[in-house]
Amino acid sequence: MGYNLDTQSNNNECEFGEAAVKVSELDAMRIYKPWLHPDIVFSMYLKLTGQEKVFETVNKFPLQVIKEKKDEFDKRTKGIINGKIGVTKNDDEKYSKLFLDILFELNNNGSGHFSDSDIRDEVITIMIAGSETNAITICFCLLMLAMNQDIQV
């Protein structure tokens, strides 16, 4: 996404990360408990347990990222990079096209008809899928190292 949360050097917990884990747990619970399948029942369950704010948190952070990246994209398309007017993308050595840049370009060209909620859903999917994939890979590597102690040095 091109957005740095700085969670490893910052001692504060990542509110989005915690909320994403909780949302994943709630979604898994909904799968295994058929009485929570209907949306009305699930939303009542969330309100009764006070967990509807978790979903608000998961939706709030991606909107912030989208807004910041949209502003950066608009500046780049107008030729304003690092506060300099009349600069092209080729002049910015650190520029690399992000997933959001592609979506914004498609919307500007008329090729894509993505609403803000469509873009938000894609960002949430990428953020959660990326973190889960990394966590699963690390757990698998640790499991393989534990099972094959002869290769540990």
Side-chain angles (χ1 to χ4, degrees), residues 39-105:
D39 289 336
I40 186 89
V41 175
F42 188 65
S43 64
M44 287 186 339
Y45 171 79
L46 292 177
K47 286 182 182 179
L48 290 173
T49 58
Q51 296 180 9
E52 72 273 6
K53 292 180 182 163
V54 172
F55 284 90
E56 291 173 12
T57 301
V58 167
N59 288 325
K60 181 176 61 173
F61 178 70
L63 291 175
Q64 174 188 342
V65 171
I66 291 167
K67 182 183 179 304
E68 289 180 22
K69 292 301 174 183
K70 177 71 171 156
D71 291 343
E72 289 176 19
F73 176 78
D74 289 341
K75 286 180 182 177
R76 270 196 307 275
T77 56
K78 292 177 184 172
I80 303 172
I81 297 176
N82 296 331
K84 299 176 186 173
I85 298 175
V87 179
T88 64
K89 285 189 275 191
N90 295 334
D91 295 331
D92 186 17
E93 296 173 4
K94 294 183 180 180
Y95 179 78
S96 62
K97 193 177 277 191
L98 303 171
F99 172 72
L100 284 173
D101 290 337
I102 295 169
L103 292 180
F104 296 147
E105 281 180 11

Side-chain angles (χ1 to χ4, degrees), residues 4 18 20 23 27 41 50 74-75 119 135 138:
N4 186 7
E18 292 173 5
V23 163
D27 285 342
V41 175
D74 289 341
K75 286 180 182 177
I119 294 174
I138 290 169

Side-chain angles (χ1 to χ4, degrees), residues 59 62-64 66-67 70 100 103-104 107 113-124:
N59 288 325
L63 291 175
Q64 174 188 342
I66 291 167
K67 182 183 179 304
K70 177 71 171 156
L100 284 173
L103 292 180
F104 296 147
N107 272 351
H113 305 287
F114 301 108
S115 67
D116 289 343
S117 64
D118 292 337
I119 294 174
R120 182 202 67 219
D121 292 343
E122 293 298 327
V123 168
I124 291 172

Side-chain angles (χ1 to χ4, degrees), residues 15-27:
E15 186 179 11
F16 175 78
E18 292 173 5
V21 169
K22 188 65 178 170
V23 163
S24 297
E25 290 171 1
L26 289 169
D27 285 342

Side-chain angles (χ1 to χ4, degrees), residues 113-151:
H113 305 287
F114 301 108
S115 67
D116 289 343
S117 64
D118 292 337
I119 294 174
R120 182 202 67 219
D121 292 343
E122 293 298 327
V123 168
I124 291 172
T125 300
I126 287 175
M127 287 179 161
I128 291 176
S131 64
E132 285 182 0
T133 303
N134 291 339
I136 290 170
T137 303
I138 290 169
C139 287
F140 182 74
C141 288
L142 291 174
L143 175 65
M144 291 293 107
L145 286 171
M147 291 172 61
N148 300 294
Q149 295 177 4
D150 55 313
I151 63 170

